[in-house]
Amino acid sequence: MNILILNSGSSSIKYQLISMPTELVICEGLAERIGSDNALLKYSTNATKLEEELAIPSHKAGLLKIADLLLDPSLGVIKNTEEISVVGHRVVHGGKAFSDTSLIDASVKEKIKNLHALAPLHNPHNLEGIELAEEIFPNAKQVAVFDTAFHHSIPAVAKKYAIPEEFYENKVQVYGFHGTSHKYVSEKAIEHLNQKTSKIISIHLGNGCSITAIKDGKSIDHSMGFAPSNGLIMGSRSGDIDHAIIFYLVETLGYSLEEVNELLIKKSGMLGLTGFSDLRDIQAAAEKGDKSCILALQMNTYRIKKYIGAYAAILNGIDAIIFTAGIGENSALIREMVCTDLEYLGITLDADKNNTRSKSLLEINKTDAKVKVLMIPTNEELEIAKQAYRLVHA
């Protein structure tokens, strides 16, 4: 069974075509920096590797490019769309409605649409991918895997906000995000630790960033909340901010609510601090002495360290911390800055190991460290494929 996985992020689309249940990857690729004139399109199979810089103005344009590559007479891996049995979609926000993987129908699409306001950088692109996939692959079953599902185990003490009960009843609560990634890498870490119980802090660092406290394989707290905008400093999202600032912007500086929303989600974070949203550009400028970029890196990692300390407290100790996703896997500098001066918690980094490139799980802590520091490449696509396969074979 061929399952096509579409993983639409805020500025990227990762995709894989996987043969299940063997988990054989037939092709994979990435469209990143979507919305720019120098977007990058990657496509690879056993026989072909393509990397092209081009304008990809929207997620829809990116999805159409990907479909063209899959069906290309010389480069493609399928002759017709009927060779795709299932299309698995990452959907960021499932609200209270979805605690598990779901077959997509009109009702599911409507519920996803109703959650657009809670994940405006993601759910619209996720739904767009679903509707386009229905057109391109009309005979395939469409399956949604929700990022919020993994976090349904968060207890009320961490899930509820300190506001009147009626708001909780109206679905105002912590939902949590990047759950597919946190689930995948934490399971890899648990397997690596090979112990009956585990206390893990999983740090997902990409254009969107989040951190999760995981006890015995279950999420018990998470940095993002009602929508995927809280917590860590991100590419263009502010993360944690005093809500009084919103009132000040509206009542004193004359911003509309729509403008404030745009500001905090699309114009803040590392972009607001430096003018760049891509960490590679920020690191390059910092190396040349750019003070705003140096400070932004310090602020970014300072925020992560605060959460590590908080989660060490609620877990009552740490067995391992995980770095994953684009930045977590590739930025030795960020890992070093996060782990510096955390000896009190038992976290000590081995500089040589930290600077080693790996496509699989890598321990980067010192040999005698009390806490394992793990770099684990996430594979949300494989996790989505496994969940989709289980659903259609249930």
Side-chain angles (χ1 to χ4, degrees):
M1 173 184 288
N2 288 337
I3 300 181
L4 175 64
I5 306 303
L6 295 178
N7 180 351
S8 296
S10 55
S11 63
S12 66
I13 305 169
K14 289 191 284 186
Y15 62 95
Q16 288 187 15
L17 181 60
I18 302 176
S19 178
M20 295 295 288
T22 62
E23 300 182 7
L24 174 68
V25 178
I26 298 169
C27 80
E28 61 185 328
L30 170 69
E32 61 179 337
R33 298 184 178 180
I34 291 173
S36 71
D37 291 333
N38 63 335
L40 195 61
L41 182 64
K42 297 180 181 179
Y43 172 82
S44 65
T45 69
N46 286 334
T48 305
K49 182 167 282 190
L50 171 72
E51 190 168 314
E52 182 182 3
E53 192 173 285
L54 72 169
I56 302 180
S58 65
H59 280 68
K60 182 175 183 179
L63 287 165
L64 289 170
K65 288 279 187 185
I66 291 164
D68 287 344
L69 284 169
L70 293 173
L71 291 160
D72 187 273
S74 57
L75 300 175
V77 290
I78 56 173
K79 293 179 180 178
N80 58 66
T81 60
E82 293 183 5
E83 293 182 38
I84 304 294
S85 303
V86 177
V87 182
H89 301 267
R90 175 200 179 204
V91 179
V92 164
H93 211 311
K96 285 187 174 182
F98 301 104
S99 59
D100 212 342
T101 307
S102 299
L103 277 172
I104 296 170
D105 57 18
S107 172
V108 169
K109 287 192 290 182
E110 186 62 26
K111 289 175 183 176
I112 292 170
K113 185 177 181 180
N114 290 339
L115 292 163
H116 278 9
L118 303 188
L121 293 182
H122 299 87
N123 269 37
H125 301 315
N126 301 153
L127 183 58
E128 186 176 40
I130 289 167
E131 292 175 338
L132 192 60
E134 288 175 331
E135 293 176 21
I136 299 171
F137 308 102
N139 297 317
K141 292 181 179 178
Q142 308 289 328
V143 173
V145 176
F146 297 90
D147 266 6
T148 46
F150 179 60
H151 300 295
H152 273 248
S153 56
I154 293 176
V157 68
K159 183 181 291 184
K160 294 184 70 171
Y161 293 107
I163 55 179
E165 183 69 20
E166 64 195 79
F167 293 101
Y168 180 69
E169 293 168 0
N170 281 298
K171 304 178 183 177
V172 178
Q173 63 170 67
V174 169
Y175 287 102
F177 301 91
H178 295 141
T180 308
S181 175
H182 288 297
K183 181 177 188 294
Y184 178 83
V185 296
S186 63
E187 287 174 352
K188 290 289 184 183
I190 290 167
E191 183 182 329
H192 180 73
L193 290 171
N194 192 27
Q195 55 193 52
K196 289 184 179 179
T197 61
S198 59
K199 299 172 181 178
I200 294 169
I201 297 174
S202 175
I203 311 168
H204 178 107
L205 303 176
N207 190 55
C209 303
S210 67
I211 181 167
T212 304
I214 301 169
K215 186 174 183 180
D216 301 333
K218 294 187 181 298
S219 171
I220 63 166
D221 206 346
H222 180 75
S223 59
M224 288 176 166
F226 180 63
S229 55
N230 211 44
L232 305 181
I233 296 171
M234 304 177 228
S236 64
R237 285 168 268 176
S238 67
D240 289 339
I241 192 166
D242 184 342
H243 64 268
I245 292 171
I246 297 170
F247 295 99
Y248 178 76
L249 291 171
V250 173
E251 295 171 358
T252 303
L253 299 186
Y255 282 74
S256 69
L257 286 174
E258 185 178 346
E259 287 170 334
V260 172
N261 193 47
E262 175 97 356
L263 171 68
L264 296 179
I265 291 176
K266 296 183 179 181
K267 297 179 179 179
S268 294
M270 299 301 275
L271 176 63
L273 290 169
T274 69
F276 303 109
S277 62
D278 192 301
L279 191 86
R280 291 165 291 193
D281 298 327
I282 296 167
Q283 284 190 198
E287 287 172 7
K288 295 175 182 176
D290 186 302
K291 291 182 180 179
S292 65
C293 289
I294 293 169
L295 179 59
L297 291 171
Q298 292 170 340
M299 290 173 63
N300 187 306
T301 52
Y302 180 83
R303 181 81 58 88
I304 297 168
K305 290 167 81 155
K306 283 176 68 175
Y307 270 92
I308 290 173
Y311 288 172
I314 65 165
L315 287 166
N316 192 23
I318 318 169
D319 294 314
I321 65 172
I322 302 166
F323 289 95
T324 193
I327 294 169
E329 294 167 28
N330 294 301
S331 178
L333 175 63
I334 290 292
R335 295 193 298 261
E336 178 188 348
M337 291 178 72
V338 168
C339 293
T340 298
D341 296 331
L342 291 181
E343 295 90 350
Y344 179 79
L345 295 177
I347 297 168
T348 53
L349 206 62
D350 184 299
D352 291 334
K353 292 177 183 176
N354 185 44
N355 284 291
T356 302
R357 289 276 185 174
S358 178
K359 293 184 178 180
S360 57
L361 184 149
L362 181 69
E363 264 194 35
I364 57 176
N365 52 277
K366 289 184 177 178
T367 306
D368 61 351
K370 293 181 180 179
V371 174
K372 301 288 186 187
V373 182
L374 307 175
M375 188 288 295
I376 306 179
T378 193
N379 196 334
E380 293 168 300
E381 293 74 34
L382 178 57
E383 181 63 33
I384 292 167
K386 288 159 69 173
Q387 293 188 36
Y389 182 78
R390 284 197 297 268
L391 178 68
V392 298
H393 272 74

